[in-house]
Amino acid sequence: MKQIGIYTLLFIAFYLLLSLHTQAQIDEDLRKIIENKEYNIGGQPLFCKKTLPEFYYNRGFQRAWTNEDNITELIEQIKLAPEEGLYTEDYHYEYLKENYKGLASITPALDILLTDAYLLYASHLLSGKVNPEKVVAEWQVNKKEMDLKLLLSESLEDIKIARSLNGLKPKYKTYVRLKKALKLYRTIEKNGGWRAIDQGETLRAGMVDTRIEQIRSRLFVTGDISTDKTDSLNLFDSTLEEAIKVFQKRHGLEPDGAIGRTTLAILNEPVEKRIEQIILNMERCRWLPLDLGEHYILVNIANYQLEVVKNGQLEMEMSVVVGKPYRKTPVFSNKMMYLVFNPYWTVPPTIFANDVLPAIKKNTGYLKAQNMKVVSGNVEIDPSSIAWAEVTPKNFPYQIRQDPGPNNALGQVKFIFPNAYNVYMHDTNHRELFSKTDRALSSGCIRLSKPIDMAEYVLKNHPAGWPREKIDKTVSKEKNLTVMLSEEIYVHLLYWTSFVDEHDRINFRKDIYERDGILWKAMQQGPPSI
């Protein structure tokens, strides 16, 4: 019994010593700052009002920044924030640089500011500075989840601050290429940008004009032409024509080689505007999921283009038609689940009100001519029993459904990836739209230029076997048929107004939904609290 008592006393003494040691590690000044919610330190507002207190609670109010290498790495990483299209002032850079003079200068307040800087910068690298759902109604993101408090704790312990922050940066090729383009265009800006070209008549190959020299110089700055020197500076020669075509392709214009009003206006866009576009689309990259998947379909709405990628390789691409500016195609990601051959088309309320109902009132034979029926659920209603003159969009109790066939608005096939917007990809009976340069012409869904090719692709490994001959035969029967997919494939609907193509050329596109200005304004504001 005496022996047990001695061991018990020793244990109690050890516990008391441990408690005293632990208690000694608590920084009371730091604790008071946290508990008193002092969200402004030395004129520097704290942004991580939720995560920062939790970080210090978890470590018993011990100071975090006790290693000089960790502090140096953090300040150096923040200094590089502009390379990511972010702003050093959001992360207390100037204050930290001026007030950090070695470990002896680390006060509780400075420790807290370092933590706030890390957590905020890490959050912006991971998920973006701006919450897209708060600035764009038609934008849905799958928010990336990560315990940044734990990441910071582990990074401090292992002296891996720089590595942990670099690990949060997007790895997508679009982001990496835009980052390189940002560096190039900032160099162009530093060197004076480019001069505006004088206004005048449309210029074409073979013409002589004093503005040609200006145009050569402008194209040389952005690498669209290899030299601005020539024996005939004012002659619009074939070399210049090809350079203009390259420029037009980079900007989503019809590459006709002529310098008309639209091409001239885009040539005269200042370098600062292009830098803004690059920064905005780097931010949009940060909104994407951590992993796009090994197999996915990517639609760039602003570029009217679709790509299919598998294991990093481009498998297929095609032109698309997207929503009109007043019926915008939303941005989101989801899995494609099934496709429907010879789909029915249920007329949406807006199209019924604006197009179909007025047409019926003008011509009662409109429904039959368009292969449409009036239905209530699965029950067909005789259109002659309806007093169409009295019908309004609000009092009409039925639906208008178009049967499968050559005139069906959805064409021969539609592809479903369930979402809250009821948006999908489909064929169209208006093939002429794909010859247009601006293709924001749909009611929100994505129309495919090669829908049967897409059907063949997504069904090529289906256990039931779906060769092209079987698909063509199925379509020709004009009977509705649903086929569930056997392979997982993601669909990412994106909105990029600048990107770098496979030829390593920076591309810019018209902001068809006027989203750039709204996002740029949000990017210039102080960061929201996290």
Side-chain angles (χ1 to χ4, degrees):
M1 294 293 292
K2 288 181 179 180
Q3 191 176 14
I4 294 173
I6 291 170
Y7 283 133
T8 302
L9 289 171
L10 287 172
F11 177 80
I12 293 171
F14 174 78
Y15 179 79
L16 289 172
L17 286 170
L18 181 64
S19 298
L20 287 171
H21 175 73
T22 303
Q23 186 70 22
Q25 299 300 309
I26 294 176
D27 191 305
E28 292 295 341
D29 291 333
L30 187 151
R31 180 185 62 78
K32 290 175 183 177
I33 293 172
I34 298 296
E35 290 188 349
N36 292 337
K37 298 182 179 179
E38 296 178 20
Y39 293 142
N40 191 298
I41 295 176
Q44 297 293 303
L46 297 180
F47 298 105
C48 304
K49 297 176 183 178
K50 179 176 183 295
T51 53
L52 188 143
E54 291 174 353
F55 171 78
Y56 282 107
Y57 295 157
N58 293 341
R59 60 187 295 110
F61 297 106
Q62 297 178 40
R63 291 196 193 183
W65 301 89
T66 57
N67 182 286
E68 195 157 356
D69 288 340
N70 281 332
I71 301 167
T72 302
E73 283 193 10
L74 176 62
I75 294 174
E76 284 299 312
Q77 285 297 303
I78 294 172
K79 182 181 179 181
L80 299 175
E83 294 183 5
E84 313 300 327
L86 296 169
Y87 308 100
T88 58
E89 57 265 32
D90 288 341
Y91 318 111
H92 317 300
Y93 176 68
E94 291 298 332
Y95 186 92
L96 294 175
K97 188 175 69 169
E98 291 176 11
N99 289 275
Y100 173 62
K101 308 296 182 184
L103 286 178
S105 67
I106 300 297
T107 62
L110 201 56
D111 196 278
I112 289 171
L113 279 175
L114 287 162
T115 299
D116 189 64
Y118 178 95
L119 291 174
L120 188 65
Y121 190 36
S123 172
H124 289 177
L125 290 175
L126 179 67
S127 303
K129 176 178 177 177
V130 176
N131 181 348
E133 295 176 347
K134 291 188 177 181
V135 295
V136 179
E138 307 88 1
W139 207 298
Q140 176 186 320
V141 295
N142 298 325
K143 191 168 178 61
K144 289 171 275 196
E145 299 293 338
M146 183 178 292
D147 189 341
L148 297 178
K149 305 184 299 296
L150 178 60
L151 179 66
L152 174 56
S153 294
E154 293 174 346
S155 301
L156 288 167
E157 185 176 341
D158 297 335
I159 315 178
K160 293 180 178 177
I161 293 295
R163 183 182 297 183
S164 65
L165 289 172
N166 285 322
L168 298 173
K169 298 172 185 177
K171 303 300 186 292
Y172 321 117
K173 64 180 181 181
T174 297
Y175 184 86
V176 174
R177 290 170 174 174
L178 283 174
K179 183 175 175 179
K180 182 180 176 182
L182 178 61
K183 183 178 180 180
L184 171 63
Y185 271 65
R186 278 183 168 154
T187 300
I188 293 173
E189 179 186 36
K190 185 178 179 181
N191 293 334
W194 49 75
R195 292 178 56 189
I197 300 161
D198 297 337
Q199 299 295 319
E201 65 176 325
T202 296
L203 297 171
R204 294 183 174 84
M207 295 177 68
V208 175
D209 193 287
T210 55
R211 293 177 295 155
I212 299 299
E213 185 177 359
Q214 297 176 6
I215 294 165
R216 287 185 193 279
S217 176
R218 165 67 183 84
L219 294 174
F220 178 68
V221 171
T222 47
D224 295 291
I225 196 168
S226 59
T227 179
D228 58 349
K229 309 298 182 185
T230 180
D231 293 336
S232 303
L233 290 176
N234 294 331
L235 174 63
F236 196 144
D237 59 18
S238 59
T239 301
L240 182 59
E241 182 182 31
E242 288 305 310
I244 286 294
K245 288 180 179 179
V246 169
F247 179 86
Q248 289 170 328
K249 288 177 182 177
R250 288 201 304 113
H251 293 81
L253 304 176
E254 183 67 32
D256 60 7
I259 307 172
R261 184 187 305 172
T262 301
T263 298
L264 183 61
I266 293 178
L267 281 164
N268 283 338
E269 284 278 12
V271 66
E272 293 80 9
K273 177 68 174 179
R274 296 309 180 205
I275 289 172
E276 284 182 19
Q277 272 188 277
I278 295 170
I279 289 173
L280 293 177
N281 288 282
M282 290 176 72
E283 173 74 357
R284 287 170 178 144
C285 285
R286 290 187 282 265
W287 298 342
L288 291 172
L290 275 173
D291 184 7
L292 296 180
E294 294 181 357
H295 194 192
Y296 60 87
I297 296 168
L298 187 152
V299 177
N300 183 0
I301 298 165
N303 191 34
Y304 313 119
Q305 194 72 14
L306 175 151
E307 297 179 349
V308 182
V309 178
K310 188 172 185 179
N311 298 323
Q313 300 299 313
L314 181 64
E315 299 266 294
M316 179 189 298
E317 58 184 338
M318 68 182 73
S319 300
V320 299
V321 171
V322 301
K324 299 172 184 177
Y326 59 91
R327 292 179 183 173
K328 300 177 179 69
T329 297
V331 174
F332 65 91
S333 299
N334 220 327
K335 294 178 186 178
M336 184 184 291
M337 306 297 289
Y338 61 95
L339 60 82
V340 181
F341 287 116
N342 300 312
Y344 291 99
W345 179 51
T346 301
V347 177
T350 52
I351 296 178
F352 173 73
N354 297 331
D355 304 320
V356 174
L357 182 57
I360 295 172
K361 288 184 175 182
K362 285 183 180 179
N363 177 13
T364 55
Y366 174 84
L367 289 173
K368 184 176 181 181
Q370 296 297 319
N371 202 23
M372 290 179 172
K373 295 177 180 177
V374 182
V375 296
S376 177
N378 291 321
V379 178
E380 186 176 341
I381 307 298
D382 183 357
S384 64
S385 66
I386 300 171
W388 289 105
E390 300 174 10
V391 171
T392 69
K394 292 184 177 180
N395 70 12
F396 188 62
Y398 310 120
Q399 291 180 315
I400 304 295
R401 189 182 72 189
Q402 188 177 42
D403 287 342
N407 293 326
N408 188 282
L410 304 184
Q412 298 172 323
V413 59
K414 68 177 180 178
F415 304 83
I416 304 299
F417 35 100
N419 58 86
Y421 305 99
N422 195 29
V423 164
Y424 43 87
M425 299 189 300
H426 64 84
D427 184 15
T428 178
N429 59 342
H430 290 287
R431 312 298 303 170
E432 72 281 359
L433 298 180
F434 296 105
S435 63
K436 297 180 179 293
T437 302
D438 293 326
R439 296 192 294 277
L441 302 166
S442 81
S443 296
C445 288
I446 299 100
R447 302 180 189 180
L448 306 181
S449 59
K450 297 186 282 189
I452 301 302
D453 288 357
M454 178 65 78
E456 183 181 14
Y457 179 83
V458 299
L459 294 176
K460 66 180 179 180
N461 295 320
H462 196 281
W466 278 94
R468 185 61 172 248
E469 299 77 22
K470 182 177 178 180
I471 292 173
D472 290 340
K473 187 176 181 180
T474 300
V475 167
S476 67
K477 292 180 179 178
E478 296 185 6
K479 290 188 177 180
N480 183 260
L481 177 66
T482 298
V483 182
M484 304 300 295
L485 300 190
S486 60
E487 289 185 300
E488 182 177 278
I489 182 167
Y490 275 87
V491 178
H492 303 287
L493 305 186
L494 308 176
Y495 188 85
W496 285 332
T497 55
S498 70
F499 57 92
V500 180
D501 62 28
E502 296 299 326
H503 304 290
D504 204 29
R505 295 184 302 214
I506 179 70
N507 280 242
F508 298 98
R509 292 294 181 268
K510 181 180 177 182
D511 180 20
I512 54 175
Y513 293 164
E514 298 183 348
R515 287 171 170 167
D516 281 1
I518 297 169
L519 178 56
W520 183 249
K521 183 178 179 180
M523 288 284 287
Q524 303 316 299
Q525 297 173 358
S529 299
I530 63 170

